[in-house]
Amino acid sequence: MTSPAPAPETVAHDDLCPICHLLLYAPVRTECNHLLCASCMAQWADASTLTRITPSSLDMDLSAFDPNYDPTPDLEAGCPMCRTLTAAVPDRKLAGFLEARYPAAYAERRVEEETARGSRVGEDGVQGMMILIGNRHRAERGGDEGPNKHNWTFFVRVSRPDIVKEIRVNLHPTFRPPRVVLTEPPFEVRCLGWGTFTIEAELVLNEPYGWVKDGMGSRSQSLELSWMLDFEGRGKQGRVRAKVKKLDGDADHPIDVDARASPVNLPHMDHQHV
Ligand SMILES: [Zn+2]
Ligand SMILES: [Zn+2]
């Protein structure tokens, strides 16, 4: 005797994600009232806003972020359905409903999300990194008649300092030195100066990690961010949600590494350094 096969789950059209056409998993709802998988929204948002710096309160602290922090709900992106600029909020009630209605399909989606497509930490998967970039500021009185000087500290905070090799900070060319390389946290540059200018920071990852730069899978070891120093009050900061991935270094997808980088330690490469 064989037990009867479980009734196949037919997913109603309304319960399919409009992006991946699979059962909605961990659905998020946009302000324009569209529903899609959290990972589909995140992938879309990454492709459209990867290096956009979103202003955030100076009180926001990176200690709030762990490596598994999922910033999707904080993220504004153009809705893939209607292009409205919107944040997306998890709809946990709907998630519970879908899981109860399609237990097998939902479980299957969970496995899929947690391995291949997941934006959370997966064996080979893409991982999220939160970056806070900004400056603290304090005005310093000049002499009796002299103008005020600005005491500022430029900083970059990352949720994954363990995989950041260095941050190259390009200051105004009049600074000596005009370029500073920070190799460990806290990644900060402190100066006393007269005027504001834009700082270019280049975040370089440890091999074998690379930044995922767009939806096309292009990857690079460095990510460039620009920050205009703010001398208004006590400073300002912004946040960036970036994606990183372990690079396989295969020949079909050469990594954009500068030639001076240290010897690579990848399993499939022959070492020429004897
Ligand atoms: Zn989806
Ligand atoms: Zn929409």
Side-chain angles (χ1 to χ4, degrees), residues 17 20 37 40:
C17 168
C20 64
C37 308
C40 288

Side-chain angles (χ1 to χ4, degrees), residues 12-116:
H13 185 262
D14 282 356
D15 296 333
L16 296 173
C17 168
I19 300 298
C20 64
H21 304 289
L22 298 169
L23 173 62
L24 281 163
Y25 179 78
V28 294
R29 190 180 292 277
T30 63
E31 287 154 18
C32 40
N33 221 18
H34 285 112
L35 282 164
L36 58 163
C37 308
S39 62
C40 288
M41 183 67 188
Q43 282 183 3
W44 179 265
D46 285 341
S48 58
T49 67
L50 176 67
T51 55
R52 205 185 72 177
I53 299 175
T54 312
S56 78
S57 154
L58 203 57
D59 298 323
M60 183 181 207
D61 193 308
L62 251 192
S63 60
F65 304 139
D66 67 47
N68 290 316
Y69 170 72
D70 181 358
T72 308
D74 297 338
L75 203 64
E76 278 212 323
C79 169
M81 302 307 294
C82 69
R83 309 276 161 169
T84 303
L85 191 66
T86 175
V89 180
D91 190 333
R92 297 204 169 79
K93 200 173 156 191
L94 178 63
F97 169 81
L98 294 173
E99 186 167 17
R101 188 171 181 188
Y102 312 107
Y106 205 84
E108 209 172 287
R109 294 284 289 116
R110 172 173 288 125
V111 171
E112 193 180 83
E113 290 280 329
E114 285 175 359
T115 53

Side-chain angles (χ1 to χ4, degrees), residues 198-221:
T198 298
I199 292 179
E200 308 286 343
E202 198 184 336
L203 283 67
V204 183
L205 296 179
N206 276 319
E207 290 159 16
Y209 285 93
W211 302 100
V212 180
K213 291 213 167 172
D214 56 40
M216 309 308 287
S218 115
R219 300 164 300 181
S220 161
Q221 214 110 26

